[in-house]
Amino acid sequence: PRLAEKLSRIISMTSASANSPPEITFETTHGGLPILKLDFDARTPAEIDLERCVLRLSSSNGKEVILVGTAHVSKDSAETTERIIREERPEIIFIELDKNRFEKLLLNRSLGEREVLKKTVEKIRDIPSALKFVMSNLKDVPGFVYQLGGLIVGSPAGNEFTKAIEVAGDIGALVVLGDRSAEVTASRVMQRVRYGSKEKRREERRRRENTKKEKTLRNPEERVREVAEKYGCEDPAKVLKCLKKILSAGMNVALPPGEANDEEEEVEEEEIDLNDRNGGETSSSSSSRTTKISAKDLEVVRQCARKIIESTRKEGFKGEGAFSSSIFLDASNSETEKDVRRTILDERDVILAHSLHRAAKQAGPGVHKIVGVVGSGHVPGIKRIFTRLNDTSKQSESDVLISMLAKEEERHAHDEYLNAFPQDVDAPDPARDMAQFAILFGGFAYLNYKKPAVARRVSAMFFGAISVVAVGAANVLVKVGQLAEKLDDASHELRMHEKIPSLLGDEANSRVLRTARIRNGVRKYGDTAREDEF
């Protein structure tokens, strides 16, 4: 009895601790007898790391570097990130963010994800507002897309970074921002697409003429079903049906006859009758919420989306498949797609690897471990470059010289990748652009002088086409905003039903975020102004 009492006291004390190992759980029998349950994994550490998308490297000065490959809208990624950091307790945490994205993450964290979404949706409530948003806030569109993805899978975008910064403030680790500015990345993508090399474009045209293959839009329904089957989703037909119902309700688009069930049709009729009793007049905001997104439909799609994201995260970690536009297009891998991939993935691999290398190299003797939190698609590239930068194997003098030259060339490439305009594209020629504009303006002026009626028709057609495209794009954005608003309501309903506490808006965690030590680890090699920042 004395031993049982002592064991019961130990279990109650340990179970109250938040730092108890996940392999140890505490249960109680119906009679109140405490039970200590041990559940240790029989797999090897390497197998566990592979399953969790964790890679372990070593720097030339003996620092252990642990990379966690994540997906930016994955609940499992956030949980894995927090668990790895708490287990390893590193002195430095390296994250795939720049200063502006980090500050925006803090702002979103303090406001709460629902409030941030509400502010965004208000900016695209109607077509004039959406046009203004596209013209003045184009750089915020990718973030909005990530928010939309987060609502579908039930995890805020970038939540793994939030968790990393929270734990860093908790354990006193230094956070190093290792990515280049998102504005620079967007600028380089636009410049490559707009001023791409003429040789590349001619080569692409020749290749298309020789192969006689053109991109054709795939059937979206078939591809969704194909992806769902590939990644093991239960009942792909049901997933597709629920997805169509979500899009229909979210964007107020009627489903084809026979695809909506009778229950939904009755609900819609009741809602229409209620509106008629109010005089048949509803505001634009109330009409956008006429049909709710079913929480059950969202749950079905969410489970499938999580499987797809986790599977593609592991594929990216292993350097295998790529979830790209080839899902929806045939004969992909065009020069434009290569340019985009090179800018978004390959160049940032170099920047992240060099920033990580610099953080490890400049770390003092008190630093033993560095945990890097990056997208899983970057892990293979970072591993290759970081290993080459920290190669300490014995080499001949010629090999050492070749290695030094290669590293120097790579450093020059790294510095060039931090510029807003890439060197490998045709630079814009203002004189040529002005000459082309002058020719077009002069031709139109001559046409207006000789045949004013024809000139008016041409100008009307030109500006009409631009207006149709602009209004069409704005209308799509308005619909997407309505979809996001209704997805948020359905997601909130699911969270309340599952009694899951919100991950956002907690004042204590926000305080931890604000007190975390942050350093920017991205700079050119010629910049020595911040050599002592670590």
Side-chain angles (χ1 to χ4, degrees), residues 85-99:
I85 294 175
R86 292 197 181 277
E87 287 177 358
E88 302 293 342
R89 300 190 71 83
E91 292 79 15
I92 294 177
I93 298 175
F94 177 92
I95 59 177
E96 182 199 334
L97 286 179
D98 62 88
K99 182 181 177 182

Side-chain angles (χ1 to χ4, degrees), residues 104 133 137-149 157 182 186:
K104 190 168 185 179
F133 178 81
N137 301 92
L138 186 60
K139 65 180 185 300
D140 294 334
V141 173
F144 180 56
V145 173
Y146 264 120
Q147 273 187 305
L148 199 62

Side-chain angles (χ1 to χ4, degrees), residues 22 38 65 103 187 196 296 307 322 328 394 404 463 475 511-513 517:
L38 306 179
V65 177
E103 291 176 348
S187 173
K296 292 182 179 179
K307 284 188 177 183
F328 300 104
K394 293 183 178 180
M404 289 176 60
F463 289 109
N475 186 52
R511 187 167 56 252
V512 171
L513 279 172
R517 296 184 299 134

Side-chain angles (χ1 to χ4, degrees), residues 123-163:
K123 296 178 182 178
I124 54 175
R125 180 67 67 185
D126 49 40
I127 290 179
S129 301
L131 284 171
K132 182 179 178 182
F133 178 81
V134 171
M135 296 297 293
S136 58
N137 301 92
L138 186 60
K139 65 180 185 300
D140 294 334
V141 173
F144 180 56
V145 173
Y146 264 120
Q147 273 187 305
L148 199 62
L151 290 173
I152 294 174
V153 300
S155 176
N159 197 40
E160 76 274 26
F161 300 133
T162 304
K163 285 295 181 184

